[in-house]
Amino acid sequence: MFVRVLGPFEVEGDDGLISVAGASQRAVLALLALRAGQPVGVSELIDALWPEDPPRSARNTLQSHVARLRARLGAPTVITHEPAGYCLHIPREAVDALRFESLLRAGDNRAGDNRAGGNGASADAEAVSLWRGIPLPEFPGEPFRGIAARLTTLYRHALIRHVRTLDPMIAADRLRETADADPCWEDGAVEMATALAAAGCRGEALDTLRRHCDAVIERLGLDPSERVRGAQQSLLRDRPPPAEPAARDLALRVPLRYSSFLGRESERRQLEHLLDDPDPGLVSVVGPGGVGKTRLVAETVRARPGVAWVDAADVREADFLHAVAVGVGARMAPHDVPLAVIAEAAARHPVVVLDNCEHVLGAAAELAEALRGVRVVVTSQESLRADGERVLRLGPLSPEAAGRLFCERARVPSSGAVGEIVERLDLMPLAIELAAVQAGALGVDELAARLDDRLDLLNRGRRGADPRHRTLRAVVEWSFALLDDASARLLRRLAVFAGGFTVAAAEAVTADEWLPRTRIAGLLAGLVDRSLVVRHGAGRFRLLETVRAYALEQAGAGLAAGPVRHAAAEFTGILQRHATAMAAAAEELDARMRGADQASAVRDIDALLPDLRLAHARGDAAVRIRLAAAMYRYGYRCQQYEVLAWGRSVEADAPGVSAAVRADALAAAATHAWGRGDLAEARRLATAADPPGAPAHEVLGDVALVECDAATALAHYRAMGGEPLARVSGMTGEALVLAWSGRGAAAVAVASAAVELADGTGNPGARAEARYGLGEALGDLDPEAALLLLAEAETLAGTVDDRLFQAASGSAAVAIRSRHGDPAVALAAFRDVLRLWRRAGNDTLRAAALRNLVVLLARVGEDETAVLLDAALPQAAVYPAEAARLDRARAAAAERLGAGRVAEVARRGALLGAARVTEEAARAIDAALARVRHQ
């Protein structure tokens, strides 16, 4: 069966024309034919038959018409009734109008062949040959009238394209009938005049244009177009009419930016590699808003001809397929299958880019599935999760590239402030470009000082940019607006974390009756896929700082569905849960610090410090005490005086906190005072610990050790019982007291036992501490063995960032070399010791190290600097052996300088501060080494 609607309605069967009686039956068959193979809804058929007022029996009457059609066509199953409506089961090629449109699409896809008479021209010729006149003239109503108008327009475009491949005179004849039937048809009149002029019939060509002008004026009341008037003028001057201007390309061009493209060379190569893969398919470039997805894709595909670019930023999901159809140049009939037509048109483009698809993910994924065999690039904040999708995740720039970008855009030199700005803006290109604009007005330093207000500060983007990219706030608001309520609630709650967090921590802090614990992991995964939460090491996540700032801003109003007061109370509860969870995490990490996995525990504490600070600031008294106690060993060994100071605010009792935990918190505060040189305050705080635990005894022993109170120090160190690590520390302290008091053999025995015990724990810090104690004990008994032990201790301490024993081991080694070796070697090593103590920040032990330098400087003849340092250092008790060495050094310097010069230099030294003392020490070392090398 073949159905013709391009002209009078006809149905042809195997034995010739089939007569279909009755206008209603013919209308039903015509509408079903125009949707061949697809169901037509019952309501649509009823509207076509009775457009004004359908009778009550419309459905029954329609059913009767269909039954008669089945009988007339002689095939009961050719028309079936399905849930979606009635369907005529014939191929699309069996309907002339559908065949006509297929041929036109084929002509579009091979349009470049037309002039050469290739396949595109033959498709147009066949399509034109199907035309028998105005479509469906016996059906004047809708929807037939609209269908006829559209088909007529398509025919006219095809006819013009076809006649351009013909001899000019033949072309004019083929156009004449259609142009005469509608003299207002501008394209036909101009094309016909052009053909006549090319055939040498200039007069007839002018008559054709004149008839068109008259018809436009008389029938439409309009003046002829500029194009028609230009054609008339050309003919009057005996020139061919100007060529028809190129049809407007409805596909959006690849976005063009004139600024340099920085920092994405590696990602660009990765994308080019994916696009050059012999197996075409879907590539999704995924990343947070403002990371530069559009720019990367544009710069990568710009040199490729024929790229179709569809910007979906302002497109609703319901309109997405239409926007893509326009972008790829698809000609879609009202009843076509959109995905099939788009796929056919997209196949003629080397690459199809679907930009900004995060809000149309469902429609984009469906389209991607239909475009198999087409190279499709999608940019989105979230992957489509389509079969065969290859994902290129775009992260922040490298610090170097981010700095270059800011400096180039702001036209400023690189500086520390620039580095701070780009780091605080998460190394995100758009935020950096917005900041660079403001830097011109505010200056770099002022901009850096005001970045806490980034959401309102960075509001001057390019005037021609997408509105979503003109301010930093708009970028984040767009991302938040795409979230469902549960995801948005979780994201706001996650903003209480200052740094990285685990899934378990997120569950502990954010879960409640509104967000059950069982949903947190899935929602978090969704936020990661949307690039609002980023991975931050193995098993850890974090919010970008800009996202966190916006989420915290929104938390008060949007955290709860209830009243604002309830929202504020809920947010307060989240903050308290965060503080409690951080205290528990700190206690767990403190336990890990004491095992073989100390290095990992230290790294995790370093990463958690921003959240521990917030917990200390937000938490109640119990949380603050727990945090200070848990951070004692980390603060002491890693010389982190900030966390040790947390113990200063927890002297009062707190409900739910044991006396032992409170005692350890006080020990942390006492250690802070000891490291800062306030020994009286350290003793007061540690003595308040009741009952004193190992940490309190340790700091009281350290105070007594520095004061050269050997008996008190030994009593406290020997009281450090309990766990093996505490016993190692106590034994090491005991060994130091014995060694510095001149009891070397006893010191070696205790320190050796400490090494054996420490090795049994497998804890690197304990092993370093014990070896340091044994090295000090052997310093004058077996210097070579001592130096080997101290080198091992320094290395072990370095693996776990144990700054205390790394610096102490280095100092001890230098002191031994200064007494038993080449002073030049000792001086060179002392520069590293100064660096270690500067990094450790321990004023008490730094002063002890500098006293060793006084002896060494006097030994190499740097007498004035030796006297200067000796006078600048605070008065302190020293052990007999060290006192004897200092006395010898002072006497030697005085003998060489004279009493008057010594007094003058000592007065100057007494005025030096701690920073100047270290500077003078470093200068003296360099001067002495230079002099020694030239001797």
Side-chain angles (χ1 to χ4, degrees):
M1 184 169 62
F2 192 85
V3 181
R4 298 185 181 90
V5 297
L6 299 178
F9 180 63
E10 292 180 355
V11 182
E12 186 175 348
D14 293 338
D15 300 324
L17 293 178
I18 299 174
S19 175
V20 179
S24 294
Q25 292 176 37
R26 293 166 67 83
V28 170
L29 183 56
L31 197 52
L32 291 175
L34 288 167
R35 303 272 283 280
Q38 300 179 46
V40 181
V42 172
S43 59
E44 188 175 347
L45 289 165
I46 290 174
D47 287 342
L49 294 176
W50 299 284
E52 298 297 332
D53 187 18
R56 290 180 180 273
S57 60
R59 286 181 175 270
N60 292 334
T61 304
L62 174 61
Q63 189 175 1
S64 177
H65 289 323
V66 171
R68 290 191 180 96
L69 279 173
R70 288 173 178 147
R72 193 74 188 104
L73 296 174
T77 60
V78 74
I79 302 177
T80 61
H81 186 219
E82 302 175 358
Y86 289 97
C87 180
L88 178 63
H89 292 281
I90 61 174
R92 290 175 58 87
E93 296 297 303
V95 180
D96 64 349
L98 302 183
R99 169 69 178 159
F100 172 76
E101 293 201 55
S102 296
L103 290 166
L104 293 187
R105 279 195 288 269
D108 287 344
N109 291 343
R110 295 186 290 266
D113 295 339
N114 283 0
R115 290 293 182 189
N119 291 333
S122 63
D124 288 335
E126 185 179 351
V128 169
S129 70
L130 293 173
W131 193 263
R132 296 178 298 116
I134 299 298
L136 303 165
E138 66 179 277
F139 306 118
E142 295 293 351
F144 301 106
R145 182 169 54 200
I147 293 172
R150 189 180 64 82
L151 290 170
T152 300
T153 300
L154 293 178
Y155 167 71
R156 289 179 174 182
H157 286 311
L159 178 62
I160 288 178
R161 198 162 58 192
H162 170 57
V163 299
R164 288 176 179 170
T165 67
L166 303 177
D167 176 81
M169 202 65 204
I170 297 174
D173 291 339
R174 292 296 302 272
L175 284 166
R176 196 179 308 277
E177 180 181 356
T178 306
D180 288 349
D182 182 8
C184 294
W185 179 30
E186 179 179 307
D187 290 343
V190 173
E191 192 66 34
M192 185 175 171
T194 301
L196 288 168
C201 304
R202 189 164 66 91
E204 192 174 350
L206 285 168
D207 285 343
T208 299
L209 293 176
R210 179 182 53 75
R211 287 195 301 273
H212 167 75
C213 292
D214 292 345
V216 167
I217 294 170
E218 293 173 5
R219 298 184 186 185
L220 305 180
L222 299 174
D223 291 331
S225 70
E226 290 289 340
R227 179 188 176 199
V228 171
R229 287 201 293 268
Q232 287 177 316
Q233 291 172 2
S234 296
L235 289 171
L236 289 170
R237 294 170 182 162
D238 202 15
R239 297 175 185 167
E244 178 186 3
R248 186 171 66 93
D249 186 1
L250 294 179
L252 294 174
R253 301 297 185 186
V254 177
L256 178 61
R257 290 280 302 276
Y258 294 101
S259 57
S260 58
F261 181 55
L262 298 174
R264 294 295 189 197
E265 292 79 8
S266 174
E267 292 89 343
R268 183 173 180 172
R269 287 193 297 272
Q270 291 180 59
L271 183 55
E272 286 176 340
H273 176 73
L274 290 170
L275 292 178
D276 290 337
D277 192 319
D279 182 20
L282 170 64
V283 176
S284 290
V285 179
V286 175
V291 78
K293 302 181 291 293
T294 298
R295 184 73 189 273
L296 171 67
V297 176
E299 296 298 331
T300 304
V301 306
R302 188 182 314 285
R304 299 172 183 246
V307 172
W309 188 286
V310 180
D311 186 357
D314 298 319
V315 177
R316 299 178 305 167
E317 190 152 20
D319 300 327
F320 179 69
L321 290 182
H322 177 71
V324 176
V326 171
V328 300
R331 176 177 286 146
M332 195 152 26
H335 304 305
D336 277 340
V337 178
L339 292 175
V341 177
I342 291 172
E344 186 178 350
R348 70 173 183 262
H349 296 282
V351 179
V352 175
V353 179
L354 308 177
D355 193 23
N356 297 307
C357 290
E358 49 269 357
H359 60 302
V360 291
L361 291 172
E366 183 183 11
L367 177 63
E369 294 282 356
L371 296 186
R372 293 189 177 278
V374 178
R375 297 185 194 279
V376 178
V377 180
V378 170
T379 72
S380 172
Q381 293 181 18
E382 181 179 359
S383 63
L384 300 187
R385 299 198 293 276
D387 184 40
E389 178 182 23
R390 291 167 291 179
V391 178
L392 174 60
R393 293 197 176 275
L394 204 57
L397 295 170
S398 68
E400 296 76 15
R404 288 204 321 272
L405 178 64
F406 181 90
C407 292
E408 179 178 298
R409 300 295 194 263
R411 298 183 179 179
V412 296
S414 180
S415 66
V418 168
E420 177 190 352
I421 289 170
V422 298
E423 286 285 354
R424 292 180 63 191
L425 292 176
D426 302 307
L427 307 175
M428 298 292 279
L430 178 62
I432 291 169
E433 295 205 14
L434 292 171
V437 174
Q438 297 293 48
L442 298 177
V444 172
D445 292 336
E446 186 69 16
L447 176 66
R450 295 181 178 276
L451 276 185
D452 285 344
D453 301 321
R454 70 189 71 192
L455 291 172
D456 294 320
L457 177 66
L458 305 185
N459 60 1
R460 297 175 62 208
R462 291 183 300 113
R463 286 190 173 88
D466 187 308
R468 293 177 298 116
H469 290 166
R470 291 180 194 167
T471 71
L472 193 58
R473 180 180 295 279
V475 173
V476 187
E477 282 178 344
W478 166 258
S479 299
F480 263 69
L482 300 174
L483 298 177
D484 58 81
D485 290 343
S487 297
R489 185 187 294 270
L490 176 60
L491 189 57
R492 287 191 291 265
R493 292 181 178 190
L494 290 174
V496 301
F497 289 98
F501 53 87
T502 62
V503 175
E507 290 173 337
V509 172
T510 65
D512 60 9
E513 61 271 29
W514 286 290
L515 281 179
R517 181 181 289 265
T518 54
R519 295 195 63 194
I520 300 300
L523 291 171
L524 178 60
L527 292 174
V528 171
D529 206 20
R530 292 182 176 94
S531 307
L532 290 168
V533 174
V534 297
R535 298 189 183 278
H536 189 55
R540 296 183 66 81
F541 307 88
R542 73 175 179 89
L543 272 65
L544 296 174
E545 280 303 306
T546 300
V547 172
R548 180 172 180 267
Y550 184 83
L552 283 174
E553 180 182 273
Q554 298 297 306
L559 189 60
V564 172
R565 180 178 298 176
H566 180 69
E570 184 183 352
F571 189 51
T572 300
I574 298 289
L575 296 178
Q576 288 303 315
R577 289 210 299 274
H578 172 265
T580 302
M582 291 305 103
E587 289 164 345
E588 179 186 343
L589 288 168
D590 177 47
R592 285 176 51 201
M593 274 272 301
R594 301 167 190 276
D597 193 28
Q598 181 184 2
S600 172
V602 169
R603 288 193 298 271
D604 287 348
I605 294 175
D606 290 343
L608 199 62
L609 270 178
D611 280 288
L612 296 179
R613 292 188 187 102
L614 282 183
H616 183 263
R618 297 167 174 167
D620 56 20
V623 165
R624 291 196 296 273
I625 292 174
R626 290 172 61 192
L627 282 170
M631 288 293 98
Y632 164 74
R633 187 171 184 83
Y634 168 81
Y636 180 39
R637 295 302 194 271
C638 299
Q639 293 290 280
Q640 293 285 355
Y641 285 91
E642 174 195 4
V643 300
L644 290 171
W646 291 350
R648 287 185 168 274
S649 61
V650 295
E651 291 188 49
D653 290 332
V657 177
S658 69
V661 172
R662 179 178 176 274
D664 289 352
L666 286 170
T671 302
H672 178 272
W674 168 79
R676 291 291 176 253
D678 191 345
L679 302 184
E681 176 68 0
R683 185 183 297 107
R684 182 189 73 79
L685 289 166
T687 304
D690 185 24
H697 282 300
E698 185 167 32
V699 69
L700 287 169
D702 289 348
V703 170
L705 180 69
V706 172
E707 291 179 334
C708 299
D709 183 351
T712 301
L714 285 173
H716 284 295
Y717 287 141
R718 288 168 177 168
M720 292 177 66
E723 64 165 347
L725 262 64
R727 286 159 48 209
V728 168
S729 295
M731 294 166 73
T732 300
E734 181 182 352
L736 293 178
V737 175
L738 295 172
W740 295 347
S741 300
R743 290 176 278 178
V748 170
V750 173
S752 297
V755 169
E756 183 178 354
L757 180 60
D759 287 348
T761 69
N763 182 263
R767 296 179 64 211
E769 181 179 10
R771 280 162 174 74
Y772 160 69
L774 184 55
E776 285 277 23
L778 290 171
D780 291 322
L781 299 176
D782 188 349
E784 289 187 10
L787 289 174
L788 290 174
L789 284 164
L790 292 170
E792 188 179 357
E794 186 174 355
T795 300
L796 281 168
T799 64
V800 291
D801 197 27
D802 189 332
R803 303 180 186 186
L804 176 66
F805 288 107
Q806 188 179 16
S809 300
S811 293
V814 168
I816 292 171
R817 288 191 177 96
S818 70
R819 301 195 300 268
H820 302 286
D822 184 348
V825 175
L827 274 175
F830 217 107
R831 284 185 299 191
D832 293 333
V833 169
L834 288 177
R835 177 184 56 79
L836 288 172
W837 282 120
R838 188 181 299 118
R839 180 169 175 259
N842 189 310
D843 297 335
T844 299
L845 298 184
R846 182 183 60 85
L850 287 173
R851 281 195 291 273
N852 284 322
L853 181 61
V854 170
V855 175
L856 186 57
L857 288 173
R859 187 179 173 193
V860 298
E862 289 290 328
D863 297 322
E864 288 200 7
T865 307
V867 172
L868 187 75
L869 290 181
D870 189 28
L873 293 173
Q875 293 296 315
V878 293
Y879 286 89
E882 183 179 3
R885 288 193 292 272
L886 281 170
D887 287 344
R888 287 195 297 271
R890 289 165 181 157
E895 182 179 352
R896 288 191 289 266
L897 292 176
R901 183 59 180 162
V902 167
E904 180 184 344
V905 174
R907 283 194 298 272
R908 188 156 51 88
L911 300 176
L912 292 178
R916 289 289 307 281
V917 169
T918 304
E919 290 175 7
E920 286 292 335
R923 184 199 61 75
I925 290 171
D926 290 340
L929 287 174
R931 187 167 56 79
V932 168
R933 281 194 294 267
H934 286 89
Q935 286 179 348

